[in-house]
Amino acid sequence: MNTVLILIALATIGAAAAAMSRPSLLNCVLLLTLSWTGIAAFYLWAGAEFAAFAQVLIYVGAISMAVMFAVLLTRRGRRDFPPRKGSRSRAAYAVLAGAAVAGVLLAAVARSPLAASPAPGPASTVRELGGQLMGPHAAALLVVGVLLTVALIGAVVLAAGAGPEKPEATR
Amino acid sequence: MSTAATPNESILERAPVLARDWLTGFLPEPARWLANSLVVIVAILLVFATVFAALTLAERKILGRVQNRPGPNRVGWFGLLQPVADGVKMLIKEDIVPRAANPVLHFLAPVVLLAASIMTFAVIPYGRHLVPVELDAALLYFFAAGSATELAVFMAGWASHNKYSLLAAMRALAQLISYELPLLLSTVPVVLAAGTLSATGIVAAQSGWKWGVVPHWLVFTPCGAAGFAIFMVSALAESNRSPFDLPEAESELIAGHLTEYSGFKYALFFMAEYFGMCAASGMAVTLFLGGWHAPLPVLEAVPSYVWFSAKFLALLLGFIWIRATMPRLRIDQLTRLAWKFMVPLALVNIGTAAFWSLTFPWAGPLQLVRWAVALGMAAGPFVLLGRGLSSGLGPRTYRYA
């Protein structure tokens, strides 16, 4: 079954790598969405049905849309400009930051035991997941809920702050 | 598909399962499982392709009748072969791709859209033994599969390399995202009442009758009725049907994000719209109308899939009827309806559902209190929000029209 995992991993990482190298910003977004779908496929492979569907619903359905709207509303023209070459010190910082993240991830991967078969533990049902979320992890759930609500209210305040536009007839 | 038989059920009830076993029975075990899945997939595709063809004809006929004209009546007997003629026409039409378009995405958009809408058919329980895929989180799967349609609409608009297509795709996305929220929220009362996300479990929770006549369908509870109404309106908007067909709006927007599509690719978009409508109706039947359960105990002799089909077709006819009756909304009315009316109503409805579930043990005269409070919680916000919805906004003067 590890071949499936390797295929999923290759597709996910390949899509992510392609997303970084494309000049067109919207192609990047679509490739990134493909990469997120790959992560959902991995969850499915690992027996975490609920997490996989939630990943598709939230990342492919919602976050990709948010990214696309952001890209389309902030772009000046139809043409995409490839990013200009930065200074050498900037490149060095980029390599440093990338290496730090890669180091953390690699350390985590090296320490975690890799099971040979998919779904090593008993696949938990949605009811158990709900019980866990509402019981031991209720505080974390509440904090996340408050955070999202605050973000939502902030967005509404930002959007409402502009005030109604003056009608053209008054000019 | 589950094959566990319950005693004293008719041969008709098990007929589809028996037919499948007859088809694949000679195969050894691992190959048989694969063949069974293939048979189910082919059956779903065939049935829904037929429903699609019949639905296009029925829609044109019914619209014709409503508008006091005969509708298609030239091809075949009473125009019955019209879908075949349409299909042939669509297949042999030239497939035009604009020179500046992104050819890969332009091709992928209808494919992704259709694939996503077909995938949603996998978890709907069509009958007692006719559940293609049993999933613990079937409801979540349904919405996750449906969420890929937004991506496809965007791909279609952007890959066409036409600014009007892109603008129309953005409008379509605004509509899809706005109505996704009430659609999802309206199903929460069902999950609260059934205590599960599995489609089979939700149908099982609606079995039985009160006093032997009133079925335990969720649509017969205050929160279920409100949820059903919200679900159907949101489903209408999600499937781009009239009165929410602004993304296409053939008389105003030259078909919006579909402007640069022709021939069979256009037909695929059309097909995906109808499949989306079918999936929404199937899910509405499963969630609110008791799934495949018969409306009366005496009618249980009729196979379950017949009951599912009857409810399903009734909802589809309702969709067509609404299309024949309602004028199209304007984009500001559409988004206002979603964010100022449907979303708050759906949120309040979750509260109603919580009250309904918590007061389940109430009996005697308290039952009346329970019904009165729940009905008030369902109807009160509807009236209040409905009054405030367009106050101070109309009538509108058109200066440039």
Side-chain angles (χ1 to χ4, degrees):
Chain A
M1 285 308 272
N2 269 343
T3 44
V4 179
L5 177 62
I6 289 167
L7 282 179
I8 293 172
L10 279 181
T12 310
I13 296 170
M20 282 190 292
S21 56
R22 299 285 301 193
S24 158
L25 211 48
L26 279 166
N27 276 353
C28 300
V29 176
L30 288 174
L31 282 164
L32 197 61
T33 312
L34 190 67
S35 171
W36 287 332
T37 318
I39 294 173
F42 165 70
Y43 288 150
L44 213 53
W45 175 86
E49 234 175 48
F50 187 83
F53 298 152
Q55 164 90 9
V56 172
L57 190 65
I58 292 167
Y59 276 85
V60 179
I63 293 188
S64 68
M65 286 300 121
V67 175
M68 274 172 190
F69 267 87
V71 168
L72 278 177
L73 292 177
T74 52
R75 238 169 26 141
R76 289 204 199 96
R78 170 98 211 169
R79 294 270 139 246
D80 294 294
F81 303 103
R84 268 174 292 160
K85 291 248 162 47
S87 63
R88 196 161 290 174
S89 65
R90 202 175 153 188
Y93 283 132
V95 169
L96 204 66
V101 174
V104 170
L105 287 180
L106 281 178
V109 169
R111 261 185 292 151
S112 56
L114 283 180
S117 64
S124 52
T125 63
V126 176
R127 184 174 284 277
E128 286 166 26
L129 273 178
Q132 284 283 318
L133 274 179
M134 282 296 160
H137 300 288
L141 194 71
L142 275 178
V143 169
V144 171
V146 169
L147 182 73
L148 288 176
T149 314
V150 168
L152 194 68
I153 294 172
V156 169
V157 168
L158 279 180
E165 282 171 28
K166 294 258 168 67
E168 280 173 51
T170 57
R171 274 195 301 185
Chain B
M1 272 196 199
S2 60
T3 45
T6 47
N8 65 47
E9 73 180 356
S10 65
I11 186 89
L12 273 176
E13 181 67 60
R14 294 179 51 77
V17 181
L18 293 177
R20 183 204 65 188
D21 288 346
W22 176 78
L23 264 177
T24 62
F26 62 94
L27 288 165
E29 195 35 60
R32 193 169 162 186
W33 174 80
L34 195 67
N36 278 347
S37 308
L38 280 178
V39 166
V40 172
I41 291 170
V42 170
I44 287 180
L45 287 181
L46 279 181
V47 166
F48 279 102
T50 319
V51 167
F52 165 61
L55 208 55
T56 53
L57 180 68
E59 175 148 35
R60 293 177 65 180
K61 275 284 188 193
I62 294 171
L63 284 185
R65 282 293 159 197
V66 172
Q67 295 158 2
N68 211 359
R69 57 188 172 85
N73 60 356
R74 293 294 142 146
V75 193
W77 193 61
F78 284 115
L80 274 179
L81 292 178
Q82 186 67 40
V84 181
D86 284 345
V88 171
K89 184 192 86 174
M90 285 297 190
L91 268 175
I92 59 177
K93 248 179 143 173
E94 186 186 357
D95 174 35
I96 301 165
V97 182
R99 191 182 299 156
N102 184 331
V104 181
L105 288 182
H106 191 265
F107 168 76
L108 268 182
V111 176
V112 168
L113 187 64
L114 193 66
S117 54
I118 289 175
M119 275 170 76
T120 54
F121 290 142
V123 290
I124 298 173
Y126 301 99
R128 198 185 297 271
H129 303 299
L130 301 180
V131 191
V133 183
E134 294 245 16
L135 281 179
D136 199 25
L139 198 58
L140 197 65
Y141 167 88
F142 181 83
F143 291 118
S147 70
T149 54
E150 289 157 18
L151 207 61
V153 167
F154 177 81
M155 277 159 74
W158 186 65
S160 296
H161 203 282
N162 174 339
K163 55 179 174 281
Y164 300 112
S165 290
L166 187 60
L167 282 173
M170 300 281 278
R171 278 169 52 126
L173 282 182
Q175 171 176 341
L176 288 177
I177 291 170
S178 302
Y179 282 90
E180 184 100 11
L181 204 56
L183 189 75
L184 276 166
L185 289 175
S186 68
T187 61
V188 174
V190 179
V191 179
L192 270 178
T196 175
L197 280 172
S198 131
T200 327
I202 289 171
V203 174
Q206 302 181 63
S207 64
W209 290 268
K210 202 181 178 89
W211 311 310
V213 277
V214 184
H216 282 155
W217 300 352
L218 282 166
V219 74
F220 294 127
T221 61
C223 53
F228 179 63
I230 298 169
F231 185 91
M232 288 313 281
V233 174
S234 311
L236 261 178
E238 282 285 304
S239 51
N240 294 342
R241 296 276 307 178
S242 177
F244 302 104
D245 56 348
L246 290 98
E248 267 195 67
E250 70 280 353
S251 49
E252 294 152 30
L253 289 177
I254 21 164
H257 57 281
L258 310 179
T259 306
E260 303 293 358
Y261 280 93
S262 59
F264 205 66
K265 282 184 198 158
Y266 186 83
L268 286 184
F269 276 105
F270 198 59
M271 203 175 194
E273 181 190 316
Y274 276 80
F275 279 180
M277 190 166 84
C278 289
S281 303
M283 209 19 116
V285 169
T286 305
L287 294 178
F288 299 102
L289 300 181
W292 43 260
H293 284 299
L296 283 174
V298 267
L299 296 172
E300 274 207 304
V302 182
S304 54
Y305 46 86
V306 174
W307 285 118
F308 181 88
S309 314
K311 297 173 193 175
F312 173 72
L313 289 178
L315 285 187
L316 288 181
L317 289 180
F319 272 118
I320 296 176
W321 188 6
I322 289 173
R323 176 170 174 187
T325 316
M326 306 284 282
R328 188 179 296 140
L329 265 73
R330 223 170 38 215
I331 184 88
D332 62 317
Q333 294 169 331
L334 176 101
T335 40
R336 190 151 17 97
L337 182 71
W339 292 103
K340 289 193 172 170
F341 192 65
M342 307 284 288
V343 173
L345 269 189
L347 284 172
V348 169
N349 197 34
I350 295 176
T352 317
F355 170 78
W356 190 256
S357 307
L358 286 177
T359 55
F360 183 71
W362 289 12
L366 275 179
Q367 274 279 12
L368 286 178
V369 178
R370 183 187 182 213
W371 271 91
V373 172
L375 280 175
M377 282 175 84
F382 176 81
V383 175
L384 288 177
L385 283 169
R387 280 211 188 130
L389 186 61
S390 31
S391 60
L393 286 161
R396 197 169 142 136
T397 48
Y398 292 92
R399 274 176 297 139
Y400 303 111

